[in-house]
């Protein structure tokens, strides 16, 4: 509802601004004798509106007060010294210039609110998204929801549950010589390899796509997880020998950490990741 109101106000302000511009243009062209003066005043009105658009309403009000004071003094001077009558033109600019300023400020405010709302919705969408856009793998949010269920199943049916956490060795050095396209390619390729090596009842997650980190939840114990790790590393070594060197000009080496869930000493989903990451130190 609030977004609709902001959008409606923005549309009204924009259309009103266009109508006011047309009215001022017609007024300027209607009096050839005062054409130069009216053009100067029109430019002054637009200048104040532009400054207000990129600053604040307070700035616009101050500029309008200065304009009214200056133009009012000029009008009184002409009336007193030259005997000119105070006509419609004088009142027109004293009224229309503040109106243009208010409409410019209203456009600024409504557009800013719409942008803030859009940014908020984008952040909310990212925080609620459960699938990584590039790899189509489940992300950390999805992992936290799934692993809670897996932990409950492990406790209830006495099924061992192990988390593998995988990342790329020396990634900080590798990414300095890798383009964005190659980065995406590495992400997809390792994700595909990981997906092909897990069973249908196991789950694969992309825990971090900046410093590529994958998580694999296995319904097995540490010994069973070691078999998966060996298959995974053998596959990477095979690809390093024939494909990766040509594609990426570097060898991809992976580090794997493991953590088995212990129902007697339960931990949170993120703590389980932390435990698995600590065991990476021994994977040299």
């Amino acid at each position: 509802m609030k977004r609709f109101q902001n959008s409606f106000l923005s549309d009204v302000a924009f259309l009103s601004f266009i109508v006011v511009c047309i009215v001022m243009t017609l007024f300027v062209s209607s009096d050839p004798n005062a054409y130069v003066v009216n053009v100067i005043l029109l430019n002054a009105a637009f200048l104040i509106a532009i400054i207000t658009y990129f600053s604040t309403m307070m700035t616009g009000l101050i500029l309008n007060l200065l304009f009214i004071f200056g133009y009012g003094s000029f009008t009184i001077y002409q009336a007193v010294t030259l005997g000119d009558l105070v006509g419609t033109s004088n009142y027109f600019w004293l009224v229309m210039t503040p109106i243009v300023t208010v409409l410019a400020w209203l456009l600024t405010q409504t557009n800013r609110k719409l942008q803030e709302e859009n940014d908020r919705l984008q952040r909310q969408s990212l925080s609620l998204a459960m699938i990584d856009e590039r790899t189509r793998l489940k992300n950390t949010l999805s992992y936290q929801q799934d692993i809670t269920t897996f932990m409950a199943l492990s406790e209830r049916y006495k099924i061992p549950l192990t988390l593998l956490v995988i990342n790329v060795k020396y990634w900080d050095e590798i990414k300095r010589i890798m383009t964005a396209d190659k980065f995406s390619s590495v992400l997809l390729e390792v994700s595909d390899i990981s997906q092909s090596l897990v069973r249908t009842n196991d789950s694969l997650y992309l825990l971090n796509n900046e410093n590529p980190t994958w998580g694999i939840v296995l319904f097995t114990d540490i010994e069973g997880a070691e078999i998966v790790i060996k298959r995974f590393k053998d596959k990477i070594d095979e690809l390093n020998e024939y494909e990766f060197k040509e594609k990426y000009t570097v060898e991809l080496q992976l580090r794997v950490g493991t953590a088995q869930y212990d129902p007697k000493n339960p931990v949170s989903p993120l703590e389980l990741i932390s435990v698995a990451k600590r065991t990476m130190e021994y994977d040299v």
Side-chain angles (χ1 to χ4, degrees):
M1 185 67 181
K2 187 176 180 181
R3 183 178 177 85
F4 173 77
Q5 290 176 346
N6 290 332
S7 179
F8 177 74
L9 285 174
S10 179
D11 292 339
V12 170
F14 177 74
L15 291 175
S16 300
F17 188 81
I18 294 297
V19 170
V20 168
C21 289
I22 293 173
V23 170
M24 289 194 299
T25 303
L26 291 175
F27 182 82
V28 169
S29 61
S30 65
D31 187 2
N33 295 325
Y35 180 77
V36 174
V37 174
N38 284 334
V39 167
I40 293 173
L41 295 173
L42 177 66
N43 288 332
F46 280 137
L47 179 61
I48 295 173
I50 291 171
I51 293 173
T52 303
Y53 185 86
F54 288 105
S55 56
T56 62
M57 185 59 182
M58 183 59 66
T59 304
L61 289 174
I62 292 172
L63 291 175
N64 269 281
L65 288 174
L66 292 175
F67 173 80
I68 292 171
F69 177 78
Y71 185 57
S73 300
F74 175 72
T75 301
I76 293 173
Y77 170 78
Q78 283 190 315
V80 173
T81 59
L82 303 178
D84 292 344
L85 296 176
V86 178
T88 306
S89 174
N90 304 104
Y91 294 113
F92 179 85
W93 293 113
L94 290 175
V95 172
M96 294 305 290
T97 301
I99 289 176
V100 173
T101 302
V102 170
L103 291 175
W105 173 79
L106 189 59
L107 268 175
T108 304
Q109 289 298 102
T110 52
N111 288 340
R112 186 175 296 152
K113 287 180 180 178
L114 285 173
Q115 185 61 47
E116 289 174 355
E117 180 70 12
N118 184 55
D119 292 341
R120 186 186 67 80
L121 290 174
Q122 286 185 347
R123 289 194 300 270
Q124 185 178 21
S125 176
L126 287 173
S127 65
L128 295 176
M130 302 181 70
I131 301 293
D132 180 74
E133 292 183 2
R134 280 185 287 190
T135 61
R136 311 308 300 170
L137 293 178
K138 296 178 181 179
N139 61 14
T140 305
L141 180 61
S142 181
Y143 158 80
Q144 291 185 74
Q145 293 186 354
D146 292 348
I147 196 68
T148 303
T149 303
F150 296 154
M151 287 175 175
L153 290 173
S154 176
E155 291 180 19
R156 183 171 183 178
Y157 297 106
K158 310 303 180 185
I159 303 173
L161 182 69
T162 303
L163 171 67
L164 302 186
V165 175
I166 305 163
N167 66 15
V168 180
K169 284 185 181 180
Y170 317 118
W171 178 249
D172 289 337
E173 289 74 20
I174 290 173
K175 69 181 181 181
R176 292 192 185 99
I177 58 174
M178 189 175 289
T179 63
D181 291 339
K182 285 186 177 181
F183 170 78
S184 297
S185 182
V186 168
L187 205 60
L188 288 170
E189 195 140 9
V190 178
S191 298
D192 289 341
I193 295 168
S194 304
Q195 188 74 66
S196 67
L197 293 176
V198 298
R199 299 168 300 185
T200 54
N201 60 330
D202 299 326
S203 297
L204 174 66
Y205 304 89
L206 183 63
L207 302 177
N208 189 335
N209 59 7
E210 296 299 327
N211 182 10
T213 304
W214 296 263
I216 304 177
V217 178
L218 306 171
F219 282 101
T220 186
D221 54 17
I222 292 292
E223 289 74 18
E226 291 295 334
I227 297 173
V228 176
I229 293 171
K230 186 177 185 309
R231 289 206 311 263
F232 193 80
K233 288 190 173 182
D234 288 344
K235 183 65 175 178
I236 292 294
D237 290 339
E238 179 185 333
L239 291 172
N240 273 329
E241 187 174 352
Y242 296 106
E243 294 185 30
F244 285 174
K245 282 185 179 180
E246 294 181 5
K247 282 185 179 180
Y248 312 121
T249 66
V250 294
E251 286 189 4
L252 293 181
Q253 299 179 33
L254 302 180
R255 293 190 306 173
V256 183
T258 58
Q260 184 171 340
Y261 176 66
D262 184 2
K264 295 179 181 179
N265 298 293
V267 295
S268 70
L270 295 180
E271 285 174 332
L272 193 63
I273 293 176
S274 180
V275 172
K277 284 184 175 180
R278 284 199 294 269
T279 65
M280 283 183 177
E281 299 173 5
Y282 305 102
D283 185 17
V284 293

